[in-house]
Amino acid sequence: MVYLLEEIDLKAETIIGGNVDIDKLRVCMQDAQLLDLEPLIGHSLYRKIENEYEAGLNGDYKTLYDDYLKPYLIHSTVKNYLAIGAYMIDNAGIYKHSAENTESVTRNELDYIYKSEKSKCDVYAQRMERWLCKNRLPEWLKDRCNTVKVNNGSWYF
């Protein structure tokens, strides 16, 4: 799998500390890409970005990545990490890690932080959609135009 984010981007632009294990972040990055981003932009455009990411994006694809996809993925990864970051599974079972001289956040505090990150994702998703509607990349149009609309009475799904 090609990861569309660098560890440095996550740690420099979010509340994630520099010593957070990248292996735990990668799981959240993968979920952000496959479960959040791909349905948002469509399979064809997602594959185009993924295939050209390592070689270097250019033109509208670079603009899309730098201005919209990257910020979206950063905040989506953090959102996903907030749900699992405190937990660990190993041979001893499932446990919650707690460092010395720290205070765990309450469920309400965690919900507040989660909602904040989710809100940022939503804003970047809306901006991305407006940009895609304006710039009409062929891969995005292909998936958008191939969406099947089912008429169920007066409702379309």
Side-chain angles (χ1 to χ4, degrees):
M1 171 171 194
V2 174
Y3 292 100
L4 301 177
L5 284 178
E6 302 296 325
E7 179 181 1
I8 187 106
D9 296 325
L10 281 170
K11 294 179 178 182
E13 298 185 35
T14 67
I15 62 172
I16 293 179
N19 62 347
V20 173
D21 185 2
I22 187 62
D23 291 334
K24 286 181 106 176
L25 289 173
R26 280 202 177 107
V27 170
C28 298
M29 287 166 48
Q30 183 175 354
D31 286 349
Q33 287 180 213
L34 298 176
L35 302 178
D36 298 336
L37 179 64
E38 185 177 356
L40 186 64
I41 66 171
H43 181 75
S44 298
L45 181 54
Y46 176 80
R47 289 291 173 226
K48 168 90 172 167
I49 298 292
E50 186 181 49
N51 289 338
E52 294 187 13
Y53 176 75
E54 291 180 330
L57 297 165
N58 54 49
D60 284 341
Y61 299 98
K62 180 163 178 41
T63 301
L64 174 63
Y65 176 79
D66 289 342
D67 296 348
Y68 304 97
L69 296 182
K70 184 177 172 183
Y72 177 84
L73 284 172
I74 286 171
H75 293 288
S76 183
T77 299
V78 172
K79 171 187 65 82
N80 294 339
Y81 184 77
L82 288 168
I84 66 162
Y87 303 100
M88 187 63 139
I89 302 173
D90 66 15
N91 291 336
I94 302 171
Y95 59 92
K96 186 176 177 180
H97 180 73
S98 173
E100 291 182 30
N101 301 322
T102 63
E103 179 183 345
S104 293
V105 297
T106 66
R107 182 67 190 177
N108 287 342
E109 291 171 320
L110 184 58
D111 286 346
Y112 175 80
I113 298 168
Y114 178 89
K115 287 176 185 174
S116 173
E117 291 299 323
K118 172 87 172 78
S119 177
K120 290 174 187 176
C121 288
D122 293 345
V123 168
Y124 283 111
Q126 291 168 0
R127 289 178 181 173
M128 188 182 331
E129 176 132 11
R130 284 194 305 267
W131 187 90
L132 285 166
C133 285
K134 181 180 176 186
N135 290 280
R136 307 177 63 78
L137 298 176
E139 297 82 5
W140 182 71
L141 290 172
K142 176 183 173 187
D143 284 346
R144 190 164 178 87
C145 294
N146 287 334
T147 301
V148 177
K149 293 183 179 180
V150 177
N151 184 350
N152 187 5
S154 62
W155 293 84
Y156 283 90
F157 298 99

